[in-house]
């Protein structure tokens, strides 16, 4: 079904063993673009001698003999390795029509927003759960904590799946699981069923979140991936802030179960759009399918795709996926401290889902739906931060130019410097303006600094980990996801008690002071990161 509207299987034209081999990786975001203006890599020995003078007529320079010698030197494995048939091969996902790329980007972004929004929408259902199931608020908070725990644990187990099944199946089945698991959450007749399926919903949603970004980089070249990735990256940040805003209105006027009915309706729409507009885009998987089809059509079992040569097993990949993130956390202190920085920010954000309503209820008498609107400040800051991304892209290009075309990974930490200052500043200003005699709009505006700083800090950390630890980039991001989710799951469990004990001002100022401890991190690693990487066995050279 998914293949009908997007990239279908590569064309059935059978490549000859002597066809020019083109490597699509030269155009992919993870690799450098050719600096001489060429579109792909073509061996001179395999090029038609008539093409060498650009006229189509050519000159007799003995090129035919070179081609013959080159072909005779090839092994069967080289001749029958399936690749794209040139830069214009319609099977290459990079050649997807532009409108399909953008529809795919928007569908993936809104679907990610649906998953992350679901994590925080539960924060306004506590009163309804307490009344219906007769449980304490601490138990109700587990509906948020266990969902986020599922988001953190999932990538460790589901990360290798796309290597063997491709991206489309993980995206479709993962989101389908998220959709279906929300039914027992919405219709649960006891708190145990409700909480267990909240964890499973988060676990299924993590499969979608861990693969969706890669699907966008599959279809855009390095030169054009910046803008769509900026739009996509905003969705996971805005989703949790949107949750209380939506669920506040729902729970003010109707039953708590409607919170999840809305999620189910939203997820059903997005699942249909995913099946129609998001096909398989993982180039190794498409080449594997192409090789399989060629073996069937020609009866020649020598056709093989590059990924099939690796001869990896799922269990080996799973073992590596689970083990490597924890090795990085225990041996690479840059990974550890950057992960702790990200984890603290996300932990405070999820603590705010209980803390901010407490502040505005006690200090300004807000109703449930009004406390949801109080998160607009954080959301506004996030939007402004995303909109400023072209400025930081320009800064990065200056680093590229300064370093001869290849900027060091530390150039990614420039935005992080802004984030490291803005996060504690926003929290402290929010706390210091949370007095009842200060107009309620002031702390909401002050919280926008935290929202902007969060985006700067996360994007800086993610891109730095990928660039600095490229050989194990997936594991570096998995370690970050695990630690972030651990903090985000744990912090809400004590947020209400902390604000009740310390008050609106004291609780926020404590969090702001804690965030101040992280200010030096991007400045320090910007300065010494290169030296640290030189001594690491995992980091890129």
């Amino acid at each position: 079904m998914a293949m009908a509207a997007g990239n279908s299987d590569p064309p059935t034209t059978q490549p000859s063993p002597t066809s020019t081999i083109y490597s699509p990786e030269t155009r992919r975001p993870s690799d450098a673009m050719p600096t001489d203006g060429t579109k792909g890599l073509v061996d001179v020995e395999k090029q038609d001698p008539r093409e060498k003078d650009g006229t189509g007529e050519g000159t007799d320079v003995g090129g035919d003999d070179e081609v013959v010698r080159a072909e005779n030197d090839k092994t069967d494995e080289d001749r029958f390795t399936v690749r794209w048939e040139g830069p214009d091969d319609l099977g290459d996902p990079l050649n997807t029509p532009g409108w399909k790329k953008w529809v795919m980007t928007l569908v993936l972004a809104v679907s990610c927003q649906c998953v992350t929004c679901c994590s925080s929408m539960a924060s306004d259902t506590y009163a309804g759960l307490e009344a219906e199931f007769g449980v304490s608020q601490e138990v109700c908070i587990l509906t948020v904590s266990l969902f986020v725990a599922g988001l953190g644990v999932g990538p460790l187990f589901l990360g290798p799946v796309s290597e063997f099944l491709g991206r489309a199946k993980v995206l479709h089945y993962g989101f389908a699981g998220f959709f279906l698991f929300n039914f027992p959450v919405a219709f649960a007749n006891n708190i145990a069923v409700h909480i267990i399926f909240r964890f499973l919903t988060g676990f299924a949603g993590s499969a979608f979140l861990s693969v969706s970004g890669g699907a966008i980089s599959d279809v855009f070249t390095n030169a054009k991936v910046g803008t769509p990735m900026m739009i996509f990256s905003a969705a996971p940040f805005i989703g949790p802030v949107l949750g209380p805003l939506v669920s506040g209105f729902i729970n003010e006027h109707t039953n708590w179960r409607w919170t999840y009915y809305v999620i189910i309706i939203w997820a059903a729409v997005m699942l249909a759009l995913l099946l129609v507009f998001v096909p398989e885009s993982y180039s190794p998987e498409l080449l594997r399918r192409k090789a399989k089809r060629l073996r069937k059509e020609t009866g020649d079992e020598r056709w093989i795709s590059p990924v099939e040569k690796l001869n990896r097993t799922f269990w080996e990949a799973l073992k590596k996926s689970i083990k490597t993130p924890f090795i990085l956390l225990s041996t690479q202190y840059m990974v550890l401290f950057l992960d702790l920085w990200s984890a603290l920010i996300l932990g405070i954000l999820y603590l705010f889902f209980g803390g901010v309503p407490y502040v505005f209820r006690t200090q300004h008498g807000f109703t449930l739906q009004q406390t949801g609107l109080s998160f607009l400040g954080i959301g506004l800051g996030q939007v402004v931060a995303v909109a400023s991304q072209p400025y930081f892209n320009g800064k990065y290009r200056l680093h590229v130019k300064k370093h001869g075309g290849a900027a060091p990974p530390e150039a990614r930490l420039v935005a992080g410097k802004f984030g490291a200052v803005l996060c504690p500043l926003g929290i402290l200003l929010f706390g210091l303006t949370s007095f009842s005699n200060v107009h309620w709009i002031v702390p909401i505006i002050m919280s926008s600094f935290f929202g902007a700083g969060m985006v700067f800090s996360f994007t800086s950390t993610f891109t730095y980990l990928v660039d600095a630890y490229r050989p194990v980039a997936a594991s570096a991001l998995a370690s970050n996801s695990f630690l972030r989710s651990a903090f985000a799951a744990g912090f809400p469990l004590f947020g209400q008690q902390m604000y009740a004990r310390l008050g609106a001002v004291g609780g926020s100022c404590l969090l702001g002071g804690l965030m101040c401890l992280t200010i030096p991190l991007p400045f320090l690693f910007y300065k010494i990161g290169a030296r640290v990487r030189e001594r690491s066995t995992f980091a890129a050279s």
Side-chain angles (χ1 to χ4, degrees):
M1 185 187 305
M3 305 306 292
N7 293 320
S8 57
D9 284 345
T12 56
T13 304
Q14 297 177 11
S16 69
T18 59
S19 61
T20 297
I21 294 178
Y22 159 72
S23 176
E25 283 74 14
T26 58
R27 295 194 291 160
R28 297 197 181 280
S30 59
D31 297 277
M33 288 288 289
T35 57
D36 59 358
T38 58
K39 289 186 177 180
L41 300 179
V42 180
D43 289 341
V44 174
E45 289 78 10
K46 292 180 283 185
Q47 189 175 6
D48 190 326
R50 292 174 300 175
E51 298 175 358
K52 291 183 179 180
D53 64 355
T55 65
E57 297 298 327
T59 56
D60 187 4
V61 292
D64 288 336
D65 292 337
E66 294 178 10
V67 173
V68 171
R69 284 197 299 271
E71 291 301 330
N72 289 338
D73 290 341
K74 282 184 178 180
T75 64
D76 279 351
E77 186 176 18
D78 292 329
R79 287 195 191 95
F80 291 93
T81 297
V82 177
R83 301 183 189 274
W84 301 124
E85 291 301 295
D88 298 319
D89 191 329
L90 296 179
D92 186 349
L94 287 171
N95 294 319
T96 303
W99 72 269
K100 288 185 178 180
K101 293 180 181 182
W102 280 105
V103 170
M104 180 177 173
T105 299
L106 293 175
V107 170
L108 288 170
V110 177
S111 299
C112 277
Q113 196 171 66
C114 178
V115 174
T116 56
C117 184
C118 183
S119 68
S120 59
M121 285 182 74
S123 62
D124 286 331
T125 65
Y126 299 162
L129 293 174
E130 290 177 41
E132 182 165 340
F133 297 130
V135 293
S136 66
Q137 188 176 77
E138 286 74 17
V139 174
C140 296
I141 292 173
L142 290 175
T143 60
V144 172
S145 294
L146 289 180
F147 183 97
V148 179
L151 289 179
V153 172
L156 298 177
F157 295 92
L158 301 173
V161 175
S162 65
E163 299 177 27
F164 297 89
L165 299 179
R167 300 205 200 278
K169 288 183 179 178
V170 176
L171 290 170
H172 297 162
Y173 291 138
F175 202 82
F178 169 79
F179 166 66
L180 293 173
F181 286 145
N182 265 299
F183 278 91
V185 170
F187 294 97
N189 58 4
N190 62 73
I191 192 66
V193 171
H194 181 78
I195 289 176
I196 290 171
F197 277 93
R198 279 288 289 175
F199 173 81
L200 294 176
T201 304
F203 187 87
S206 72
F208 182 87
L209 294 178
S210 63
V211 174
S212 49
I216 293 175
S217 65
D218 287 339
V219 298
F220 285 95
T221 62
N222 188 52
K224 297 181 179 180
V225 75
T227 301
M229 192 58 74
M230 176 183 70
I231 295 172
F232 170 78
S233 299
F237 299 135
I238 296 175
V241 176
L242 185 64
L245 192 154
V246 175
S247 63
F249 281 91
I250 294 173
N251 287 277
E252 178 82 13
H253 299 287
T254 188
N255 188 280
W256 66 269
R257 295 181 187 274
W258 268 100
T259 304
Y260 299 103
Y261 298 160
V262 170
I263 285 290
I264 289 171
I265 295 169
W266 186 2
V269 173
M270 298 317 302
L271 180 59
L273 293 175
L274 284 167
L275 292 172
V276 173
F277 292 110
V278 182
E280 182 57 66
S281 61
Y282 190 44
S283 188
E285 171 62 15
L286 292 171
L287 289 171
R288 187 191 66 79
R289 295 180 185 181
K290 185 175 182 179
K292 182 179 179 181
R293 187 175 59 254
L294 287 170
R295 289 194 294 265
K296 181 179 179 180
E297 292 175 353
T298 64
D300 194 334
E301 293 297 320
R302 288 177 294 179
W303 290 108
I304 189 171
S305 66
V307 73
E308 290 173 310
K309 291 181 179 181
L310 299 177
N311 198 28
R312 291 178 298 180
T313 67
F314 175 77
W315 295 111
E316 290 173 351
L318 180 62
K319 181 180 178 182
K320 181 180 179 181
S321 176
I322 296 174
K323 181 175 67 174
T324 307
F326 294 102
I327 294 176
L328 290 173
L329 284 172
S330 59
T331 63
Q332 309 296 306
Y333 71 79
M334 272 207 309
V335 174
L336 175 63
F337 282 108
L338 289 173
D339 287 358
L340 285 172
W341 178 30
S342 300
L344 186 59
I345 294 172
L346 196 68
I348 290 174
L349 175 65
Y350 275 84
L351 184 149
F352 268 3
F353 294 139
V356 170
Y358 175 87
V359 170
F360 285 96
R361 281 198 311 269
T362 58
Q363 303 295 85
H364 301 287
F366 273 24
T367 63
L368 187 59
Q369 62 186 18
Q370 288 173 329
T371 58
L373 291 172
S374 65
F375 286 93
L376 284 175
I378 297 177
L380 176 63
Q382 292 174 335
V383 171
V384 171
V386 171
S388 69
Q389 193 62 37
Y391 168 78
F392 292 103
N393 290 341
K395 288 286 188 182
Y396 185 76
R397 284 193 292 270
L398 291 177
H399 278 85
V400 171
K401 185 177 180 180
K402 179 180 177 181
H403 292 86
E410 284 68 35
R412 300 291 190 182
L413 293 174
V414 173
K417 295 178 182 179
F418 288 84
V421 174
L422 287 174
C423 279
L425 178 65
I427 298 172
L428 287 171
L429 290 176
F430 173 79
L432 294 173
T433 56
S434 293
F435 294 97
S436 57
N437 60 345
V438 177
H439 194 278
W440 54 263
I441 195 62
V442 178
I444 290 178
I445 294 173
M446 295 300 104
S447 67
S448 65
F449 292 104
F450 174 68
M454 182 170 63
V455 173
F456 290 145
S457 301
F458 282 161
T459 54
S460 176
T461 301
F462 297 162
T463 53
Y464 181 73
L465 288 175
V466 169
D467 279 4
Y469 294 89
R470 188 167 292 279
V472 288
S475 295
L477 291 177
S479 71
N480 186 278
S481 176
F482 176 80
L483 209 57
R484 275 188 296 121
S485 298
F487 275 53
F491 273 43
L493 295 173
F494 62 81
Q496 293 272 11
Q497 295 89 331
M498 183 191 74
Y499 271 99
R501 178 66 63 89
L502 300 179
V505 178
S508 297
C509 288
L510 173 64
L511 297 174
L514 192 61
M515 279 302 308
C516 284
L517 298 176
T518 66
I519 292 178
L521 291 179
F523 296 91
L524 178 65
F525 292 144
Y526 181 84
K527 192 172 185 64
I528 69 169
R531 295 201 299 272
V532 174
R533 287 188 291 109
E534 287 177 359
R535 297 193 297 267
S536 172
T537 57
F538 292 97
S541 58

